[in-house]
Amino acid sequence: MTSPDDLKRYKRNLIEELEAAELYEIMAAHEKSEALIEIYKRLAETERNHASKWITRIEEAGGMVPVFKRSWRLRTYTFLSKIFGTSFILPSVAAIESRAGSSYSEQNDPLAQSMAVQERSHSRIFRVLSREGKGLEGGAVARLEGRHPATGGNALRAAVLGANDGLVSNLSLVMGVAGAEMSAHSILITGLAGLLAGAISMALGEWLSVQSSRELYEHQISIEKEELEESPEEEMEELALIYQAKGIAPEKAHQMAYHMISDPNTALDTLAREELGIDPEELGGSAWEAAITSFLLFSLGAIFPVFPFFFIEGLPAVATSALLSTVGLFLVGAGITLVTGKSLFFSGLRQIFFGLSAAGVTYVIGRLIGVSLGG
């Protein structure tokens, strides 16, 4: 006898499988690489097969098969993959598959357990693609947010957090100054100064981070070039071992390594990619692009609490600033769910709570300092 909780679980699993299949079909439609198109189509077929099994379960239990509708998250992924390419969302998709595998593993159900293995396999595929594919990942994440490591990064995550930094820090600054009962003009000047100071600081940090990475990569490649010239046999053996570690048979691995090393035009490029994990054509990206992107992301968040003071004054301006910032914080929380897969409202409300708490603390401190200085 199927319990109501089991039936509810079947329906939830079905919707998640249908959403995954739809996502992979969308990625296949927006992908240019024939090889990747084939991979995405095969993954979509697997998810459709999973979905059909859950439909059978639901029907056998006498339940109604739910009507599938695209979620806001799926629509957002569709938009992002269309504008920026499928590589932009690969790390997020890897996280989705990882959560799906964990969810199935926790279900005391042989069917779910068998699907968990495939979902974990899908997660590994997307992790490899996100490391090796081109687009806004890897070095591009460092260009978006230098404080976080570039390896295995997530450009979407970096963009959301970059805007969040600007929003929370400038909201706290504006509320602290407002608590001291300064004029609207003073608050506006302070908020704009905070925006510019924070954005310039972030941009400078990004430039230094990416430029330092480029110089490090260039140094590593120059060392690899010297080693290739002095001991090509050793480099060939290292490359063969790398191929073997990827699952290629020893004889085939040695043949591939010999072919790569024997061609001067590709030897250094191959060694840089395989041994060092460096793309010689990009070297971590453009330092100036990193600085400009970081400046814009921080400014985008920081403008929310300042904007009302251009038009209104006093308590209405403070209230409007808090309200507008609340909307911005909720949007940041919503953006984070694209990576975490958590509830939209939970993540949005959590972000509002932490952001307004920080602003509330600075407002009270500003109030106390203002009263103290005012006598």
Side-chain angles (χ1 to χ4, degrees), residues 233-258 260 270 274-275:
E233 295 82 6
E234 293 182 9
E235 293 299 311
M236 184 179 70
E237 185 63 27
E238 289 180 15
L239 189 57
L241 290 174
I242 291 173
Y243 287 144
Q244 289 180 53
K246 292 185 176 184
I248 299 174
E251 184 178 350
K252 182 65 174 178
H254 279 86
Q255 290 176 356
M256 293 174 61
Y258 176 78
M260 292 296 181
T270 301
E274 298 293 351
E275 284 194 33

Side-chain angles (χ1 to χ4, degrees), residues 11-82:
K11 292 181 179 181
R12 183 178 67 248
N13 291 342
L14 170 62
I15 294 299
E16 290 177 354
E17 293 291 355
L18 290 174
E19 185 152 295
E22 187 90 357
L23 175 60
Y24 300 149
E25 289 167 357
I26 289 168
M27 293 174 71
H30 295 153
E31 180 57 56
K32 297 179 180 179
S33 167
E34 291 296 331
L36 289 180
I37 290 173
E38 180 62 26
I39 290 175
Y40 296 150
K41 286 183 176 180
R42 287 170 57 188
L43 292 173
E45 184 179 351
T46 300
E47 304 293 7
R48 293 285 182 192
N49 182 49
H50 288 179
S52 66
K53 293 179 180 179
W54 291 119
I55 289 175
T56 301
R57 281 283 189 91
I58 294 170
E59 291 176 340
E60 290 176 348
M64 290 285 294
V65 176
V67 177
F68 174 73
K69 296 181 180 179
R70 286 189 175 187
S71 67
W72 72 271
R73 187 178 291 109
L74 180 58
R75 291 195 295 269
T76 302
Y77 283 138
T78 301
F79 172 77
L80 293 175
S81 63
K82 183 177 181 180

Side-chain angles (χ1 to χ4, degrees), residues 170-191 305-306 309 312-322 359-371:
N170 219 33
L171 173 62
S172 298
L173 175 63
V174 166
M175 289 300 150
V177 175
E181 295 188 340
M182 296 182 67
S183 66
H185 178 73
S186 298
I187 296 173
L188 176 61
I189 295 300
T190 302
V306 179
F309 291 95
I312 50 182
E313 300 181 357
L315 189 59
V318 175
T320 305
S321 175
V361 169
T362 56
Y363 181 87
V364 171
I365 293 175
R367 185 73 175 175
L368 294 174
I369 292 176
V371 171

